[in-house]
Amino acid sequence: MAQHLDDANRKHVENFGDKGKLVLSPPSKKLIVVTCMDARIDTSSAFGLNEGEAHVIRNAGGRVQDSLRSIIVSQRLLATNEIAVVQHTDCGMLTFKNPDLQGILAEQHPEEKDKIDSIDFLPIPNLEGGVREDVQWLKEHPLVLKETVVTGWVYDVKTGKVSQVA
Ligand SMILES: [Zn+2]
């Protein structure tokens, strides 16, 4: 089923070069990028990130609340000091509200309704507002290092361009 992963990896290994010499250490740009899992976004190409340079945390919407565990590990154990929050145009997370998805799930799994209703899927009410909200959330969170530089960006899936909004 996932044979294509193995096939693609063979080419990757052929071109791996000396990247095996990279060691477990703080990423050289000391940067965390939080962005959406959307399959249209190629983070290394879009943000000019090579192996060893940054931590990229991806989830549905690129929401920071869902990234906190990784952000803490990155900051406290691997010395990153900057976070770029990148959400994007045409994001699926702009298209529904919690009750919509909770309703679909509860229909299929009525016995799990309580559990389902306790999940916040973190949909985004509006794009730029969502980015600003997430940047603010990080700046105010007691477990995010105070000296962290936090910026917010919108990635346009039609042009590949990022624009800073916070
Ligand atoms: Zn998205």
Side-chain angles (χ1 to χ4, degrees), residues 36 38 61 88 91-93:
C36 186
D38 192 292
H88 67 98
C91 185
M93 299 301 284

